[in-house]
Amino acid sequence: MKDVLIGIDAGTSVIKSVAFDTAGRQIAVASIPNVYETLPGGGVEQDLARTWGDAARTLAMLSDKVENLRSRVAAIAVTAQGDGTWLIDAAGEPVAPGWLWLDARAAEVVERLSARPEEIDRFRRTGTALIACQQGSQMAWMQENAPELLARATTAFHCKDWLYFKLTGERATDPTEASFTFGDFRTRDYSDEVIEILGLSAQRRLMPPVVDGTTRQARLAASAAAATGLPEGTPVVLGFVDVICTALGAGLYDPAARPGCTIIGSTGMHIRLATSADEVTIAEEPSGYTMPMPAPGAYAQMQSNMAATLNIDWVLSLGRGILASAGVERTAAEMIAMIDGWVDAARPGAILYQPYVSEAGERGPFVDASARAGFVGLSTRHGYGDLVRAVFEGLAFAGRDCYAAMGPAPLEIRLCGGAARNASLRRIHAAAIGAPIRTGKREEAGAAGAAMMAAVGIGLYPDMEACVAEWVTPLLGPAEDPDPDLAALYDRLFPAYVEARTSLRPVWRTLAKTRDRTA
């Protein structure tokens, strides 16, 4: 009996394969830490052969965890980290290591392209701001600085496209990454006008066909069957980019409730559901992403903070370092266990924190590679707990800032990501955004979203709404309403948060120039 669906989620930190039954219950997970290399000059690269080898190993590892998996697997679906550029040649071999979304080499190209009047037309078509991590920006940099890479290549993939190619032998990409990078979100396809605006018409040959996994599947190739131990000919679905699959698995696709979805991971994604192209809000200042959902007429509009839990990691690491200097050792888990105590003891809204701790700056709801984190309002009365609370509040204000750029705030937020388990974070987010928070019990939302696409694609469900009703809705927790007093305080403080980040932009750029001169 074919009663198991497998979702592959090749993230920046971990590559995992997750087995689900056909009703959406998680059966088993096999994972391997991901490996990438940071280079001088802002480069961040990942080895293509190793990435496929690790993904194949996680599929093989599932067979040790799921009884009779080989005879039970109904379909495989793949999603992965977004953006980036993974080039292969005519023989299907890598031309160079894959460029990740963390790669900042194209920052100067983006600054130059973004200043042109044509950028407004490109933004209105894609609904997506131009930033250094995107394939279009990276290919524009290669065209100027490393044309030999593009000359040797015959196809430009994203990470999941590469894995789909290794699984099936087919060269393809999905509607999300095709349209926000090179296309028009309304058509879910490439746009020759956008490609021309980017100056990449000569590279159109590298862009693979666009396929929607809910309507088309390929088959597991013999070579992939040998590498994974799964049957040749098994249906394989190319999922949408990981953020869309994660939002799908976390409950964003609910046309009746029209919720928002906030993903608190290494980055922070804030996503609004639009049930038609006309509902998408195109901001005056280009920022954010617009992507189709794997359902007819539905779109996800999103703003993405470059750093979310990276801010929490930083402040906890700071505390661990201070304790270690005094001879007191604390593990990361022990520090996390103390967060609620620090937050509860601190006065709300005492300090404003700008959570732009990433070396790549910020991309939502504004794009500025020079943006950096900082505290506003420190005095001698503040202690470590005040810093921790300010970091949590800064993340919540950043979320509100992002939702404000996309129109009215959603009536409810579906929260996911590892940090969503923290009660203080949920309480602060609910009050800062001004909407109830619901947290799902789904552990592997990204892999689940990919598997849901496979479930619809092979006909287990008539449409995505029916799949969501069984896979997602029963796992959503109760709504946690905003504390009215805390919400009123944050309403008063939010304009100051926006004013602070607006006023600091010239300061960030001066600091960036100083760093460049002293590097």
Side-chain angles (χ1 to χ4, degrees):
M1 179 180 178
K2 305 290 187 180
D3 62 346
V4 175
L5 296 168
I6 298 174
I8 303 170
D9 185 358
T12 311
S13 302
V14 178
I15 297 173
K16 63 189 72 169
S17 291
V18 187
F20 304 90
D21 69 19
T22 53
R25 290 179 288 268
Q26 186 170 310
I27 300 170
V29 181
S31 63
I32 294 174
N34 190 34
V35 177
Y36 58 84
E37 183 180 5
T38 300
L39 307 174
V44 182
E45 298 180 345
Q46 187 166 319
D47 183 81
L48 276 74
R50 177 169 184 158
T51 303
W52 160 241
D54 286 346
R57 275 205 295 150
T58 64
L59 288 170
M61 289 160 61
L62 273 185
S63 294
D64 296 329
K65 299 187 175 189
V66 180
E67 188 176 1
N68 300 322
L69 177 61
R70 180 178 172 82
S71 62
R72 295 171 62 189
V73 60
I76 303 164
V78 58
T79 186
Q81 55 176 295
D83 291 311
T85 306
W86 300 52
L87 300 172
I88 67 168
D89 63 17
E93 294 298 319
V95 167
W99 288 33
L100 269 60
W101 64 272
L102 292 163
D103 197 294
R105 279 176 281 192
E108 289 186 9
V109 172
V110 167
E111 189 169 349
R112 186 173 69 250
L113 293 176
S114 297
R116 301 181 309 161
E118 301 96 316
E119 167 58 14
I120 298 301
D121 184 36
R122 190 208 61 81
F123 175 61
R124 287 172 179 162
R125 292 175 186 272
T126 63
T128 299
L130 193 65
I131 52 179
C133 62
Q134 292 166 3
Q135 189 173 100
S137 307
Q138 294 177 354
M139 286 175 63
W141 187 95
M142 292 177 186
Q143 190 169 254
E144 292 182 12
N145 299 281
E148 70 281 359
L149 295 181
L150 299 176
R152 295 204 308 269
T154 56
T155 309
F157 283 148
H158 299 89
C159 180
K160 61 174 173 40
D161 308 334
W162 162 248
L163 295 178
Y164 181 74
F165 171 72
K166 295 299 291 184
L167 288 165
T168 67
E170 291 198 7
R171 301 181 187 225
T173 193
D174 80 292
T176 55
E177 297 204 272
S179 61
F180 81 70
T181 306
F182 296 118
D184 190 321
F185 70 88
R186 301 163 189 84
T187 65
R188 301 176 177 232
D189 206 345
Y190 298 122
S191 163
D192 289 337
E193 292 81 3
V194 168
I195 295 167
E196 184 178 356
I197 289 169
L198 290 170
L200 293 172
S201 296
Q203 312 307 331
R204 178 65 177 83
R205 64 185 180 83
L206 300 177
M207 300 171 196
V210 181
V211 302
D212 185 332
T214 61
T215 60
R216 185 183 181 280
Q217 303 82 48
R219 299 289 167 175
L220 191 68
S223 57
T228 63
L230 298 176
E232 181 181 354
T234 300
V236 180
V237 164
L238 177 60
F240 285 13
V241 68
D242 61 351
V243 66
I244 293 295
C245 285
T246 300
L248 180 65
L252 177 69
Y253 186 63
D254 186 340
R258 299 192 185 187
C261 179
T262 287
I263 305 169
I264 307 293
S266 298
T267 62
M269 302 298 299
H270 310 283
I271 314 170
R272 170 181 173 265
L273 178 67
T275 56
S276 73
D278 292 338
E279 287 186 4
V280 173
T281 300
I282 302 297
E284 290 188 15
E285 179 182 359
S287 65
Y289 287 71
T290 301
M291 302 183 196
M293 292 287 290
Y299 298 88
Q301 188 171 4
M302 65 191 74
Q303 293 282 347
S304 173
N305 303 129
M306 193 67 79
T309 57
L310 293 178
N311 293 275
I312 300 172
D313 295 342
W314 169 78
V315 76
L316 295 183
S317 177
L318 178 68
R320 289 179 68 192
I322 293 170
L323 290 172
S325 67
V328 179
E329 298 294 332
R330 289 286 185 270
T331 65
E334 289 172 330
M335 296 293 287
I336 290 170
M338 291 187 277
I339 285 175
D340 286 337
W342 284 320
V343 171
D344 291 343
R347 184 163 64 89
I351 305 169
L352 288 178
Y353 175 68
Q354 306 285 336
Y356 315 132
V357 78
S358 169
E359 291 286 336
E362 187 52 281
R363 62 185 179 185
F366 63 96
V367 179
D368 193 333
S370 67
R372 290 296 182 269
F375 294 95
V376 178
L378 280 174
S379 74
T380 55
R381 64 172 298 277
H382 294 126
Y384 180 70
D386 296 292
L387 301 185
V388 175
R389 180 168 191 121
V391 167
F392 274 52
E393 290 174 338
L395 290 176
F397 281 140
R400 177 168 174 166
D401 205 11
C402 284
Y403 279 115
M406 297 186 287
L411 299 179
E412 181 178 285
I413 301 294
R414 310 279 167 87
L415 193 67
C416 66
R421 303 186 188 96
N422 182 268
S424 296
L425 183 135
R426 296 197 304 272
R427 185 170 64 253
I428 289 171
H429 269 71
I433 297 172
I437 295 287
R438 294 184 75 183
T439 307
K441 298 177 184 176
R442 171 73 67 194
E443 294 179 11
E444 301 292 349
M452 290 168 68
M453 290 187 62
V456 174
I458 65 174
L460 295 178
Y461 295 90
D463 52 39
M464 191 57 73
E465 284 193 65
C467 186
V468 167
E470 188 162 17
W471 279 60
V472 179
T473 305
L475 296 181
L476 291 174
E480 300 179 58
D481 292 324
D483 177 276
D485 293 334
L486 193 58
L489 172 64
Y490 290 156
D491 282 345
R492 295 193 298 272
L493 285 175
F494 179 66
Y497 172 88
V498 175
E499 185 178 6
R501 61 103 161 151
T502 303
S503 300
L504 282 169
R505 293 185 77 168
V507 178
W508 297 333
R509 291 180 181 180
T510 298
L511 290 172
K513 291 176 182 177
T514 303
R515 285 194 299 270
D516 291 343
R517 292 192 188 104
T518 57

